[in-house]
Tab-separated table of all heavy atoms in Angstrom:
chain	number	residue	atom	x	y	z
N	200	LEU	N	18.362	-132.806	20.888
N	200	LEU	CA	19.325	-132.668	21.884
N	200	LEU	C	18.756	-132.604	23.269
N	200	LEU	O	19.301	-133.257	24.255
N	200	LEU	CB	20.205	-131.444	21.556
N	200	LEU	CG	21.067	-131.404	20.398
N	200	LEU	CD1	21.665	-129.992	20.166
N	200	LEU	CD2	22.130	-132.476	20.454
N	201	GLN	N	17.607	-131.985	23.390
N	201	GLN	CA	16.980	-131.956	24.773
N	201	GLN	C	16.556	-133.375	25.166
N	201	GLN	O	16.698	-133.668	26.340
N	201	GLN	CB	15.755	-131.063	24.626
N	201	GLN	CG	15.069	-130.736	25.984
N	201	GLN	CD	13.870	-131.565	26.260
N	201	GLN	OE1	13.266	-132.273	25.375
N	201	GLN	NE2	13.534	-131.647	27.549
N	202	VAL	N	16.058	-134.241	24.369
N	202	VAL	CA	15.677	-135.523	24.714
N	202	VAL	C	16.967	-136.368	24.937
N	202	VAL	O	17.018	-137.115	25.967
N	202	VAL	CB	14.857	-136.123	23.557
N	202	VAL	CG1	14.525	-137.613	23.894
N	202	VAL	CG2	13.508	-135.423	23.482
N	203	GLU	N	17.939	-136.350	24.063
N	203	GLU	CA	19.056	-137.211	24.294
N	203	GLU	C	19.931	-136.809	25.455
N	203	GLU	O	20.515	-137.703	26.156
N	203	GLU	CB	19.996	-137.092	23.014
N	203	GLU	CG	19.327	-137.771	21.760
N	203	GLU	CD	20.183	-137.569	20.517
N	203	GLU	OE1	21.196	-136.888	20.672
N	203	GLU	OE2	19.857	-138.085	19.459
N	204	LEU	N	20.019	-135.518	25.769
N	204	LEU	CA	20.912	-135.058	26.874
N	204	LEU	C	20.234	-134.739	28.106
N	204	LEU	O	20.833	-134.381	29.069
N	204	LEU	CB	21.746	-133.781	26.322
N	204	LEU	CG	22.589	-134.025	25.116
N	204	LEU	CD1	23.237	-132.749	24.683
N	204	LEU	CD2	23.578	-135.151	25.232
N	205	GLY	N	18.854	-134.869	28.175
N	205	GLY	CA	18.108	-134.502	29.351
N	205	GLY	C	18.238	-133.021	29.707
N	205	GLY	O	18.254	-132.767	30.840
N	206	LEU	N	18.164	-132.172	28.741
N	206	LEU	CA	18.378	-130.838	29.062
N	206	LEU	C	17.057	-130.108	29.465
N	206	LEU	O	15.959	-130.596	29.181
N	206	LEU	CB	18.878	-130.007	27.793
N	206	LEU	CG	20.225	-130.515	27.231
N	206	LEU	CD1	20.549	-129.859	25.899
N	206	LEU	CD2	21.304	-130.158	28.173
N	207	THR	N	17.153	-128.976	30.125
N	207	THR	CA	15.998	-128.049	30.453
N	207	THR	C	16.218	-126.827	29.696
N	207	THR	O	17.320	-126.250	29.699
N	207	THR	CB	16.016	-127.867	31.980
N	207	THR	OG1	15.926	-129.044	32.629
N	207	THR	CG2	14.847	-126.927	32.345
N	208	TYR	N	15.094	-126.346	29.033
N	208	TYR	CA	15.166	-125.178	28.177
N	208	TYR	C	14.288	-124.042	28.799
N	208	TYR	O	13.173	-124.263	29.243
N	208	TYR	CB	14.744	-125.394	26.732
N	208	TYR	CG	15.666	-126.208	25.912
N	208	TYR	CD1	15.122	-126.842	24.709
N	208	TYR	CD2	16.940	-126.513	26.233
N	208	TYR	CE1	15.958	-127.646	23.975
N	208	TYR	CE2	17.828	-127.147	25.479
N	208	TYR	CZ	17.283	-127.778	24.306
N	208	TYR	OH	18.109	-128.578	23.519
N	209	LEU	N	14.718	-122.840	28.668
N	209	LEU	CA	13.720	-121.624	28.660
N	209	LEU	C	13.880	-121.055	27.288
N	209	LEU	O	14.941	-120.561	26.961
N	209	LEU	CB	14.323	-120.617	29.775
N	209	LEU	CG	13.456	-119.305	29.752
N	209	LEU	CD1	12.095	-119.519	30.055
N	209	LEU	CD2	14.056	-118.395	30.818
N	210	PHE	N	12.806	-121.177	26.669
N	210	PHE	CA	12.798	-120.732	25.159
N	210	PHE	C	11.962	-119.465	24.924
N	210	PHE	O	10.788	-119.427	25.336
N	210	PHE	CB	12.128	-121.860	24.410
N	210	PHE	CG	11.979	-121.580	22.935
N	210	PHE	CD1	13.114	-121.910	22.048
N	210	PHE	CD2	10.862	-121.092	22.332
N	210	PHE	CE1	13.029	-121.679	20.665
N	210	PHE	CE2	10.745	-120.829	20.924
N	210	PHE	CZ	11.844	-121.172	20.202
N	211	VAL	N	12.640	-118.412	24.549
N	211	VAL	CA	12.005	-117.071	24.524
N	211	VAL	C	11.707	-116.859	22.974
N	211	VAL	O	12.436	-117.122	22.079
N	211	VAL	CB	12.902	-115.923	25.008
N	211	VAL	CG1	12.554	-114.600	24.444
N	211	VAL	CG2	12.948	-115.934	26.421
N	212	SER	N	10.478	-116.404	22.777
N	212	SER	CA	10.051	-116.118	21.393
N	212	SER	C	8.902	-115.159	21.418
N	212	SER	O	8.206	-114.958	22.483
N	212	SER	CB	9.574	-117.438	20.727
N	212	SER	OG	9.124	-117.234	19.378
N	213	HIS	N	8.556	-114.512	20.229
N	213	HIS	CA	7.404	-113.691	20.105
N	213	HIS	C	6.364	-114.389	19.180
N	213	HIS	O	5.374	-113.841	18.965
N	213	HIS	CB	7.794	-112.355	19.497
N	213	HIS	CG	8.308	-112.557	18.046
N	213	HIS	ND1	9.749	-112.790	17.875
N	213	HIS	CD2	7.793	-112.510	16.844
N	213	HIS	CE1	9.994	-112.869	16.549
N	213	HIS	NE2	8.718	-112.733	15.871
N	214	ASP	N	6.628	-115.662	18.900
N	214	ASP	CA	5.721	-116.407	18.130
N	214	ASP	C	5.038	-117.489	18.836
N	214	ASP	O	5.755	-118.587	19.082
N	214	ASP	CB	6.626	-116.910	16.775
N	214	ASP	CG	5.678	-117.485	15.675
N	214	ASP	OD1	4.487	-117.818	15.960
N	214	ASP	OD2	6.108	-117.448	14.556
N	215	LEU	N	3.826	-117.427	19.039
N	215	LEU	CA	3.104	-118.421	19.820
N	215	LEU	C	2.900	-119.688	18.993
N	215	LEU	O	2.783	-120.720	19.625
N	215	LEU	CB	1.700	-117.835	20.188
N	215	LEU	CG	1.549	-117.132	21.561
N	215	LEU	CD1	0.233	-116.538	21.694
N	215	LEU	CD2	1.821	-118.157	22.642
N	216	LYS	N	3.026	-119.574	17.742
N	216	LYS	CA	2.870	-120.919	16.918
N	216	LYS	C	4.062	-121.675	17.112
N	216	LYS	O	3.995	-122.969	17.323
N	216	LYS	CB	2.716	-120.428	15.419
N	216	LYS	CG	1.396	-119.782	15.100
N	216	LYS	CD	1.378	-119.555	13.572
N	216	LYS	CE	2.412	-118.516	13.164
N	216	LYS	NZ	2.319	-118.134	11.731
N	217	ILE	N	5.243	-121.073	17.166
N	217	ILE	CA	6.453	-121.930	17.391
N	217	ILE	C	6.417	-122.520	18.829
N	217	ILE	O	6.724	-123.647	19.065
N	217	ILE	CB	7.673	-121.082	17.074
N	217	ILE	CG1	7.850	-120.771	15.648
N	217	ILE	CG2	8.975	-121.755	17.669
N	217	ILE	CD1	9.047	-119.888	15.280
N	218	VAL	N	6.073	-121.644	19.802
N	218	VAL	CA	6.071	-122.079	21.164
N	218	VAL	C	5.015	-123.190	21.383
N	218	VAL	O	5.331	-124.126	22.136
N	218	VAL	CB	5.680	-120.850	22.092
N	218	VAL	CG1	5.445	-121.403	23.565
N	218	VAL	CG2	6.848	-119.843	22.012
N	219	ARG	N	3.945	-123.126	20.717
N	219	ARG	CA	2.963	-124.293	20.931
N	219	ARG	C	3.521	-125.548	20.367
N	219	ARG	O	3.319	-126.548	21.108
N	219	ARG	CB	1.825	-123.905	19.987
N	219	ARG	CG	0.737	-124.969	19.980
N	219	ARG	CD	-0.276	-124.783	18.795
N	219	ARG	NE	-1.207	-125.927	18.699
N	219	ARG	CZ	-1.921	-126.146	17.583
N	219	ARG	NH1	-1.829	-125.341	16.586
N	219	ARG	NH2	-2.870	-127.082	17.522
N	220	GLN	N	4.318	-125.554	19.347
N	220	GLN	CA	4.765	-126.792	18.865
N	220	GLN	C	6.022	-127.299	19.633
N	220	GLN	O	6.300	-128.507	19.757
N	220	GLN	CB	5.141	-126.686	17.341
N	220	GLN	CG	4.020	-126.332	16.433
N	220	GLN	CD	3.087	-127.499	16.390
N	220	GLN	OE1	3.352	-128.643	16.533
N	220	GLN	NE2	1.802	-127.196	16.020
N	221	PHE	N	6.808	-126.367	20.137
N	221	PHE	CA	8.101	-126.669	20.687
N	221	PHE	C	8.214	-126.843	22.219
N	221	PHE	O	8.936	-127.603	22.727
N	221	PHE	CB	9.220	-125.613	20.273
N	221	PHE	CG	10.589	-125.901	20.641
N	221	PHE	CD1	11.229	-127.031	20.024
N	221	PHE	CD2	11.212	-125.165	21.658
N	221	PHE	CE1	12.587	-127.302	20.328
N	221	PHE	CE2	12.452	-125.482	21.938
N	221	PHE	CZ	13.273	-126.448	21.368
N	222	CYS	N	7.339	-126.121	22.938
N	222	CYS	CA	7.412	-126.056	24.344
N	222	CYS	C	6.371	-126.830	25.118
N	222	CYS	O	5.215	-126.987	24.609
N	222	CYS	CB	7.227	-124.509	24.799
N	222	CYS	SG	8.585	-123.514	24.106
N	223	ASP	N	6.547	-127.298	26.314
N	223	ASP	CA	5.676	-127.969	27.125
N	223	ASP	C	4.702	-127.032	27.801
N	223	ASP	O	3.547	-127.303	27.826
N	223	ASP	CB	6.455	-128.840	28.191
N	223	ASP	CG	7.402	-129.863	27.581
N	223	ASP	OD1	7.068	-130.419	26.632
N	223	ASP	OD2	8.559	-129.852	28.067
N	224	ARG	N	5.249	-126.018	28.344
N	224	ARG	CA	4.512	-124.932	29.072
N	224	ARG	C	4.814	-123.569	28.408
N	224	ARG	O	5.842	-123.390	27.889
N	224	ARG	CB	4.683	-124.933	30.589
N	224	ARG	CG	4.117	-126.020	31.278
N	224	ARG	CD	4.137	-125.802	32.825
N	224	ARG	NE	5.430	-125.559	33.321
N	224	ARG	CZ	5.800	-124.598	34.170
N	224	ARG	NH1	4.872	-123.769	34.652
N	224	ARG	NH2	7.014	-124.487	34.596
N	225	THR	N	3.916	-122.608	28.648
N	225	THR	CA	4.058	-121.294	28.195
N	225	THR	C	3.766	-120.255	29.230
N	225	THR	O	2.769	-120.406	29.962
N	225	THR	CB	3.252	-121.025	26.926
N	225	THR	OG1	3.625	-121.923	25.836
N	225	THR	CG2	3.347	-119.589	26.478
N	226	MET	N	4.571	-119.246	29.315
N	226	MET	CA	4.353	-118.109	30.146
N	226	MET	C	4.224	-116.851	29.340
N	226	MET	O	5.042	-116.695	28.312
N	226	MET	CB	5.389	-117.933	31.243
N	226	MET	CG	6.800	-117.876	30.753
N	226	MET	SD	8.072	-117.803	32.044
N	226	MET	CE	7.912	-116.210	32.630
N	227	VAL	N	3.224	-115.925	29.533
N	227	VAL	CA	3.114	-114.839	28.818
N	227	VAL	C	3.516	-113.561	29.623
N	227	VAL	O	3.035	-113.362	30.667
N	227	VAL	CB	1.587	-114.660	28.326
N	227	VAL	CG1	1.449	-113.450	27.355
N	227	VAL	CG2	1.224	-115.984	27.494
N	228	MET	N	4.269	-112.635	29.063
N	228	MET	CA	4.725	-111.501	29.718
N	228	MET	C	4.292	-110.216	28.925
N	228	MET	O	4.292	-110.292	27.674
N	228	MET	CB	6.282	-111.466	29.913
N	228	MET	CG	6.745	-112.583	30.832
N	228	MET	SD	8.602	-112.447	31.256
N	228	MET	CE	8.598	-110.936	32.279
N	229	TYR	N	4.003	-109.193	29.656
N	229	TYR	CA	3.738	-107.911	29.143
N	229	TYR	C	4.196	-106.815	30.085
N	229	TYR	O	3.865	-106.726	31.248
N	229	TYR	CB	2.252	-107.797	28.936
N	229	TYR	CG	1.719	-106.424	28.388
N	229	TYR	CD1	1.997	-106.101	27.037
N	229	TYR	CD2	1.147	-105.459	29.221
N	229	TYR	CE1	1.549	-104.901	26.576
N	229	TYR	CE2	0.770	-104.197	28.651
N	229	TYR	CZ	0.990	-103.956	27.348
N	229	TYR	OH	0.603	-102.791	26.824
N	230	ARG	N	5.106	-105.967	29.517
N	230	ARG	CA	5.734	-104.837	30.311
N	230	ARG	C	6.234	-105.361	31.698
N	230	ARG	O	5.959	-104.700	32.708
N	230	ARG	CB	4.677	-103.800	30.448
N	230	ARG	CG	4.483	-103.015	29.194
N	230	ARG	CD	3.583	-101.795	29.258
N	230	ARG	NE	3.499	-101.183	28.021
N	230	ARG	CZ	2.624	-100.254	27.643
N	230	ARG	NH1	1.643	-99.981	28.474
N	230	ARG	NH2	2.620	-99.760	26.393
N	231	GLY	N	6.936	-106.440	31.611
N	231	GLY	CA	7.601	-106.833	32.830
N	231	GLY	C	6.790	-107.715	33.722
N	231	GLY	O	7.354	-108.239	34.736
N	232	LYS	N	5.509	-107.896	33.505
N	232	LYS	CA	4.722	-108.696	34.376
N	232	LYS	C	4.273	-109.962	33.775
N	232	LYS	O	4.194	-110.069	32.516
N	232	LYS	CB	3.388	-107.940	34.690
N	232	LYS	CG	3.591	-106.610	35.526
N	232	LYS	CD	4.095	-107.057	36.912
N	232	LYS	CE	2.974	-107.706	37.705
N	232	LYS	NZ	3.345	-107.847	39.177
N	233	LEU	N	4.184	-111.004	34.591
N	233	LEU	CA	3.693	-112.250	34.159
N	233	LEU	C	2.209	-112.404	34.209
N	233	LEU	O	1.593	-112.178	35.287
N	233	LEU	CB	4.368	-113.422	35.063
N	233	LEU	CG	4.072	-114.834	34.761
N	233	LEU	CD1	4.391	-115.194	33.312
N	233	LEU	CD2	4.650	-115.778	35.715
N	234	LEU	N	1.575	-112.464	32.959
N	234	LEU	CA	0.123	-112.380	32.807
N	234	LEU	C	-0.555	-113.724	32.780
N	234	LEU	O	-1.650	-113.819	33.258
N	234	LEU	CB	-0.210	-111.605	31.552
N	234	LEU	CG	0.217	-110.212	31.499
N	234	LEU	CD1	-0.398	-109.571	30.227
N	234	LEU	CD2	-0.101	-109.333	32.741
N	235	GLU	N	0.074	-114.776	32.280
N	235	GLU	CA	-0.654	-116.094	32.109
N	235	GLU	C	0.404	-117.151	32.014
N	235	GLU	O	1.453	-117.008	31.418
N	235	GLU	CB	-1.519	-115.951	30.931
N	235	GLU	CG	-2.329	-117.230	30.623
N	235	GLU	CD	-3.294	-117.032	29.437
N	235	GLU	OE1	-3.461	-115.928	28.937
N	235	GLU	OE2	-3.958	-118.105	29.083
N	236	THR	N	0.000	-118.397	32.524
N	236	THR	CA	0.825	-119.524	32.377
N	236	THR	C	-0.096	-120.730	32.171
N	236	THR	O	-1.295	-120.723	32.587
N	236	THR	CB	1.691	-119.869	33.583
N	236	THR	OG1	0.847	-120.107	34.799
N	236	THR	CG2	2.683	-118.655	33.965
N	237	GLY	N	0.436	-121.742	31.574
N	237	GLY	CA	-0.287	-123.022	31.313
N	237	GLY	C	0.400	-123.824	30.265
N	237	GLY	O	1.493	-123.390	29.731
Side-chain angles (χ1 to χ4, degrees):
L200 293 172
Q201 190 262 341
V202 174
E203 292 178 355
L204 303 177
L206 300 172
T207 303
Y208 290 161
L209 174 60
F210 181 86
V211 163
S212 177
H213 62 274
D214 193 334
L215 270 172
K216 294 181 294 183
I217 292 178
V218 171
R219 175 201 178 192
Q220 298 293 333
F221 186 71
C222 300
D223 303 314
R224 287 192 302 140
T225 296
M226 54 185 289
V227 181
M228 294 187 68
Y229 178 73
R230 287 185 177 161
K232 293 293 292 185
L233 182 56
L234 300 185
E235 182 173 353
T236 65

